[in-house]
Amino acid sequence: MPSGLRAPERESGPPTLARTVREPDDGSVTDILDPTPVQPAHAATELTDVAGVRSLASTKEIISRYHRPGPHATIVLRLPFHGEVGDDLDKRWSATRTQLSHLDAPDQVLEHLDRAIEHLPRCGYHAVITADSDDAAYCWLTTSHEPVTRVGAHPALALALAEIDRRPHCVGAVVDRVGADLFAIDHTDIEATGSVDGESDGIHKSSGDGADQARTQRHSEQVWSRNALQVADALAAPAGARKASVVVVTCDVRASHLVAEHLEGRRHLTVAHANAGGRHEPTSPARLLAAAMEASARIQRADTDERVARVMEELGQHDRGVDGDVTTLQAIEDGRVKTLYVDVDRWTDIDHLDDTIKAATDTGADVVVGAAPALNDGIAAFLRVPYE
């Protein structure tokens, strides 16, 4: 193990959602993510060794469900904590199961959903859960949603596609001027991976006057920077191994910005600063996870905005863009669609959306689900080949 690194003492805490606030513009700090409890805390979400219940952890896995024989039953449901005040999961699932039965969901499909509901962790998150005659699959949702109950030839997984696009897959650190506690973050899970402890002598500036104070302050700044470099190196290596694009650093503002400076130019990493507690505080990992969710969602929103803007530009030129459900479906049937775009806020209102996603992916098209309010009927496509 590299010098200065310690193995983790495993600790976990409840993540909360985050809001973005801005510090005074002093030229050194941009956006600070301030995780604020706005709903009950969440618990661990990992599910292991349960036959017939699998996680949807990638776009490829989600799309593969569209190419399996139906019928499929899909629900969106919140999994509350055991003993949570107002916990009515059994009652809600019973009512939902009755609805699915009335929609002609086969008994075998319902039994797979029963198994998923029984074994999924009671963690406080919403989940989209789908089942066919072979098994059930789920994707945790980091934002709240209205209940959904669907039975059809294809699953209804638009929310899962949107979730995967904004899924945090990053590394994080709770830093001070000596070192940091390090974490790996993957969607709704956070795991302690170690710590860095650098130099502790001379980290405090002198309160004296004159040349002695100036020397001490320069020395302190040099120590802080060396310690921050150790933290940056310890973050960059796992970020590369995990193909992470986001680094979240929190706690001491000066130390976190020194770490960010040392990370500049490494693998195109995006650094997000968070106000999420200090080292060794029990709630810091959960608050760091919340900040990672917010940072990843912000990056995804910016990416979706950019891609939708390109489609809108093509629509304006009547060139390689089409929107509206009728024209988009026609372009898919003609084999011209490169990327299908769906407005996540209107997915339940788009006629035959699941058929459209299946048809688009049959032709090799990509599917992007995100906030796109400008799209006519909530759906559009970027074309491989324009119409004459």
Side-chain angles (χ1 to χ4, degrees), residues 320 322 326-340 356 358-366 381-387:
R320 296 182 63 188
V322 295
V326 175
T327 52
T328 300
L329 187 57
Q330 184 61 57
I332 292 171
E333 291 176 354
D334 293 341
R336 294 174 179 262
V337 173
K338 180 178 182 180
T339 306
L340 177 69
T356 302
K358 166 65 164 56
T361 57
D362 280 343
T363 67
D366 296 325
F382 184 78
L383 304 180
R384 292 190 184 96
V385 181
Y387 285 101

Side-chain angles (χ1 to χ4, degrees), residues 217-246:
Q217 289 179 344
R218 283 196 299 272
H219 176 69
S220 295
E221 291 279 355
Q222 291 167 357
V223 173
W224 297 345
S225 183
R226 288 196 295 269
N227 290 343
L229 178 59
Q230 284 194 57
V231 175
D233 289 340
L235 286 169
R242 294 168 56 84
K243 298 181 180 179
S245 60
V246 180

Side-chain angles (χ1 to χ4, degrees), residues 15-18 33 42 45 125 140-143 163 166-170 185-189 246 248 286-301:
T16 58
L17 298 185
L33 300 173
H42 304 110
T45 60
Y125 285 108
W140 295 114
L141 304 175
T142 52
T143 54
E163 186 68 31
R166 61 172 170 253
R167 178 175 185 162
H169 189 65
C170 52
I185 300 164
D186 188 2
H187 201 193
T188 55
D189 293 315
V246 180
V248 180
R287 298 172 69 186
L288 186 66
L289 174 57
M293 289 179 181
E294 173 64 20
S296 295
R298 183 170 58 182
I299 292 169
Q300 187 262 353
R301 285 194 298 268

Side-chain angles (χ1 to χ4, degrees), residues 103-302:
L103 293 171
D104 296 326
D107 289 342
Q108 190 174 15
V109 172
L110 293 175
E111 288 167 7
H112 287 308
L113 288 176
D114 286 334
R115 187 170 180 79
I117 297 296
E118 178 185 359
H119 289 284
L120 282 174
R122 302 287 291 272
C123 58
Y125 285 108
H126 283 73
V128 54
I129 310 169
T130 190
D132 56 22
S133 60
D134 289 332
D135 60 18
Y138 68 94
C139 177
W140 295 114
L141 304 175
T142 52
T143 54
S144 298
H145 294 275
E146 292 296 318
V148 171
T149 306
R150 294 282 184 90
V151 176
H154 307 297
L157 297 176
L159 289 180
L161 287 167
E163 186 68 31
I164 290 300
D165 270 352
R166 61 172 170 253
R167 178 175 185 162
H169 189 65
C170 52
V171 295
V174 181
V175 304
D176 59 21
R177 300 186 188 190
V178 176
D181 299 327
L182 308 176
F183 298 87
I185 300 164
D186 188 2
H187 201 193
T188 55
D189 293 315
I190 184 167
E191 178 184 5
T193 57
S195 61
V196 176
D197 287 302
E199 304 173 47
S200 57
D201 293 336
I203 63 169
H204 300 295
K205 289 185 177 181
S206 169
S207 58
D209 298 321
D212 181 62
Q213 181 191 33
R215 272 194 310 272
T216 303
Q217 289 179 344
R218 283 196 299 272
H219 176 69
S220 295
E221 291 279 355
Q222 291 167 357
V223 173
W224 297 345
S225 183
R226 288 196 295 269
N227 290 343
L229 178 59
Q230 284 194 57
V231 175
D233 289 340
L235 286 169
R242 294 168 56 84
K243 298 181 180 179
S245 60
V246 180
V247 174
V248 180
V249 290
T250 181
C251 192
D252 186 288
V253 173
R254 176 60 177 151
S256 67
H257 280 274
L258 285 171
V259 171
E261 289 174 10
H262 287 302
L263 286 169
E264 285 182 2
R266 302 198 195 193
R267 291 192 64 257
H268 307 291
L269 291 171
T270 299
V271 179
H273 301 276
N275 178 15
R279 295 185 69 185
H280 314 301
E281 292 183 14
T283 61
S284 291
R287 298 172 69 186
L288 186 66
L289 174 57
M293 289 179 181
E294 173 64 20
S296 295
R298 183 170 58 182
I299 292 169
Q300 187 262 353
R301 285 194 298 268

